[in-house]
Amino acid sequence: MRATAFAANSSASSIAKQFHRVLLLSALFVTASLNSFAQIAVSPASLTFAKQLIDTTSTSKAVTITNNGASAQAVNIVMSGDYTETDTCGGSIAGGSGSCTAHISFTPTLIGSIKGAASIYDNSKNLLAFVGLTGTGGAPVTTTPTSLSFTGGTIGTKSAAKTFKIANNTTGTVTINSITTNVTDYTITTGTCLTTPLAKAGSCTVTVTVTPTSAAD
């Protein structure tokens, strides 16, 4: 009975020691990971780009990457979203507060808000630091207002005319090839929009009327 009891106690003690060792190793791993992450610092930690016309590239913005560790650190910069970068890091940053610069640019492919990141990894693909990126893609041509509403019309009777403007937001000349509607009850008068290219910051006016053919129009 004593031998059996001793064996059970010895096994429990062994399991406790192993569990303690696992906890200790886990703590060391977390500490090492936090130290590795803190070794590389970025400034600024985020960038916001002004509205940029789709398919055009912004002026670059600079981010300083600093190695606060004592030894050199390999770095690999991975971009996401509609962002690109060039840098002076050469794949590694010297220790003792050595630094390099990443120049980040924004080339939107969509209209609206576009988020991304510049993620910095070591050669083992461990994340060292990242820079949050935000930008807005703008349309080369916009309309004001963006919609027209016709209410209270009479079947067979043409409505009063309503208008909207088409504006050129680019730095060059824009030629508009067509302005159409998919509902035959609407009549569009394009004015000079199809005959005269829009200069930089220029605009033209379109007139719209509706002659409803049924109560559902």
Side-chain angles (χ1 to χ4, degrees):
M1 293 295 292
R2 292 180 180 176
T4 302
F6 177 79
N9 290 337
S10 176
S11 178
S13 176
S14 177
I15 291 173
K17 288 180 180 179
Q18 291 179 20
F19 182 68
H20 180 73
R21 182 181 181 187
V22 169
L23 289 178
L24 182 60
L25 290 174
S26 297
L28 289 174
F29 176 77
V30 170
T31 302
S33 297
L34 291 174
N35 287 341
S36 178
F37 193 83
Q39 180 176 346
I40 297 297
V42 293
S43 180
S46 64
L47 294 175
T48 298
F49 290 82
K51 181 179 287 186
Q52 184 73 26
L53 294 181
I54 57 173
D55 297 326
T56 64
T57 301
S58 72
T59 300
S60 65
K61 292 191 174 187
V63 172
T64 301
I65 306 171
T66 303
N67 178 11
N68 293 316
S71 58
Q73 174 64 59
V75 293
N76 301 282
I77 304 174
V78 178
M79 307 300 295
S80 68
D82 292 342
Y83 301 90
T84 56
E85 67 86 24
T86 59
D87 61 74
T88 62
C89 302
S92 179
I93 307 176
S97 298
S99 66
C100 61
T101 304
H103 299 277
I104 299 175
S105 300
F106 175 47
T107 307
T109 58
L110 302 171
I111 296 171
S113 178
I114 301 173
K115 294 185 180 298
S119 301
I120 304 171
Y121 296 90
D122 63 15
N123 287 340
S124 298
K125 297 184 179 179
N126 296 309
L127 181 64
L128 302 175
F130 68 91
V131 180
L133 306 173
T134 302
T136 302
V141 172
T142 54
T143 60
T144 306
T146 57
S147 64
L148 296 175
S149 179
F150 296 84
T151 59
T154 302
I155 295 174
T157 301
K158 181 187 291 187
S159 70
K162 294 192 175 186
T163 63
F164 65 87
K165 285 188 176 182
I166 301 175
N168 175 13
N169 301 318
T170 73
T171 58
T173 299
V174 170
T175 299
I176 300 173
N177 296 317
S178 65
I179 304 171
T180 61
T181 176
N182 60 355
V183 180
T184 57
D185 291 357
Y186 291 92
T187 300
I188 298 175
T189 303
T190 59
T192 62
C193 293
L194 301 181
T195 58
T196 305
L198 293 180
K200 173 185 176 182
S203 65
C204 62
T205 300
V206 177
T207 302
V208 183
T209 59
V210 60
T211 306
T213 58
S214 70
D217 293 331

